Amino acid sequence: MRKLKIIEHISLDGVIQHSADGDDFPYGDWTAPYRTPAGRDEVIAAQETSFDLLLGRRTYDIWSGFWPKAPSSPIADGLNAATKYVATHRPKSLEWGPFEGLGQDIVESIRRIKSQDGPNLILWGVPH
C-alpha cells in the first residue's frame, strides 16, 4: 500500500502563497529571499527518489505552466516524471503528463490508487 504525504511550504507566520496566485496579494512569494540550500535539500529528501502526485486542478494548472519548461534539477525531473492524479471536472484538458483524472468519487479514487503497487503519493498545494 502506498503512503500519502502532504508537503506544504508555509512561513512561520502562516502565509501560504505563491506569486502565480495573482497580483492582489502584497506578500506573494515573499519567502524567496530566505530560502536556503539546506531547505531545498529537505524538500528533495521529503519527495524521495520516486513518487506520484495528488493535485487539485488549480495547482496542476499553475505547475503545468512552469515545471515542463524548467531546467533539469532533482525537483523538476521528479515532478515531471511523476504520475499526476488530478481532481478535475475537465480531465480531457490535462496535458502535462503522465496524468490521470480522479473522476467523480475522489475519495474512492484515492483509496484505489493507494491500494495499488507504486511509489508513495505526495499532495502539494492548497485547496481553494
Side-chain angles (χ1 to χ4, degrees):
M1 177 177 265
R2 302 183 195 205
K3 291 182 181 177
L4 175 60
K5 293 182 173 187
I6 299 172
I7 298 178
E8 194 59 72
H9 289 252
I10 184 169
S11 66
L12 291 175
D13 59 351
V15 175
I16 301 174
Q17 185 75 20
H18 183 276
S19 56
D21 288 345
D23 296 329
D24 60 343
F25 187 75
Y27 307 110
D29 215 17
W30 73 271
T31 60
Y34 307 103
R35 294 182 191 142
T36 64
R40 178 204 59 226
D41 294 346
E42 287 296 320
V43 170
I44 292 169
Q47 292 183 157
E48 304 169 346
T49 56
S50 178
F51 58 90
D52 286 338
L53 293 168
L54 179 59
L55 301 172
R57 182 59 192 246
R58 188 168 183 185
T59 301
Y60 174 89
D61 285 344
I62 291 169
W63 284 20
S64 68
F66 178 80
W67 288 112
K69 301 171 202 154
S72 180
S73 72
I75 293 175
D77 297 347
L79 293 172
N80 286 320
T83 297
K84 294 94 176 146
Y85 295 98
V86 186
T88 181
H89 297 288
R90 304 178 322 271
K92 291 181 181 178
S93 63
L94 299 174
E95 294 179 6
W96 176 43
F99 61 81
E100 180 181 316
L102 291 175
Q104 296 293 324
D105 191 339
I106 293 172
V107 173
E108 183 54 38
S109 292
I110 294 170
R111 285 186 180 132
R112 175 185 52 80
I113 295 163
K114 281 184 65 183
S115 71
Q116 298 171 344
D117 289 332
N120 288 331
L121 295 166
I122 296 179
L123 183 141
W124 276 96
V126 180
H128 292 279

